[in-house]
Amino acid sequence: MSATEPYHADHLAWMGLALDEARLALKTDDVPIGAVVLGPDGGVLGSGRNEREAHGDPTAHAEIVAIREAAAALRQLAHDSGASGDGWRLEDCTLVVTLEPCAMCAGAIVLARIPRVVFGAWDEKAGAVGSVFDILRERRLNHWVEVYAGVREDECAALLRDFFATHRVPAVEHRPV
């Protein structure tokens, strides 16, 4: 895993918002991962939780849901103020998520131009921010991201561990016939 920036006190509170979203995913039997996108002022522009089971959508990861909501909010703000703005560039925003983003979500973060990502637990099997890949800090790409990892890591990991402990079916013992 790659070294990360030390996190700030605000990150702890923001992770609480992401954890609240993660717990809401339990209602639809989705993996409890939550995310929030914060604007430059620290206000929430978008929030999301895993909704793959709820919507039958393989792209409905918490980060994607939050990024889409934040982009819509920025488009609306630009429209309401008469300013120009496309809404898809989430410059000067921060994404906070309870689990290290996967390759799909890391790609979306880069394409949305999000400059900062804060995450809780590492994902040793599919993480794309240092565990398996490091897409957010890939120098060959046109956008790089500051990463703050391990924020409330134990709490984020415990939520996932508890979920999977109740959803795993014990392996069937194989006996010779």
Side-chain angles (χ1 to χ4, degrees):
M1 290 177 270
S2 299
T4 60
E5 301 289 329
Y7 55 84
H8 306 293
D10 286 344
H11 297 164
L12 296 170
W14 294 342
M15 187 59 73
L17 299 173
L19 280 161
D20 290 343
E21 283 294 322
R23 289 181 191 101
L24 291 173
L26 294 169
K27 292 180 180 181
T28 57
D29 212 28
D30 275 286
V31 176
I33 300 169
V36 292
V37 175
L38 300 134
D41 64 353
V44 175
L45 289 173
S47 59
R49 59 190 161 275
N50 271 8
E51 296 180 345
R52 293 185 306 171
E53 298 298 328
H55 299 296
D57 179 355
T59 68
H61 288 204
E63 300 94 312
I64 301 297
V65 174
I67 288 168
R68 286 177 179 154
E69 191 173 293
L74 286 177
R75 275 192 309 277
Q76 189 62 49
L77 285 170
H79 178 266
D80 293 348
S81 68
S84 63
D86 51 36
W88 67 264
R89 287 183 182 89
L90 303 184
E91 298 164 331
D92 222 13
C93 291
T94 302
L95 173 76
V96 181
V97 61
T98 57
L99 182 66
E100 177 184 4
C102 69
M104 176 184 70
C105 294
I109 291 163
V110 168
L111 293 173
R113 309 296 193 269
I114 296 172
R116 281 169 304 285
V117 168
V118 176
F119 73 84
W122 291 92
D123 185 348
E124 300 293 331
K125 294 181 181 177
V129 186
S131 289
V132 179
F133 304 105
D134 198 352
I135 293 170
L136 298 188
R137 292 172 287 199
E138 172 55 59
R139 290 292 170 200
R140 292 173 290 184
L141 297 176
N142 65 338
H143 177 73
W144 308 287
V145 180
E146 287 178 77
V147 175
Y148 301 88
V151 178
R152 295 175 70 170
E153 180 176 6
D154 292 342
E155 194 176 348
C156 294
L159 186 60
L160 290 163
R161 245 188 336 272
D162 292 348
F163 174 81
F164 286 114
T166 62
H167 285 76
R168 286 201 176 104
V169 177
V172 176
E173 188 177 320
H174 295 282
R175 298 180 185 180
V177 184

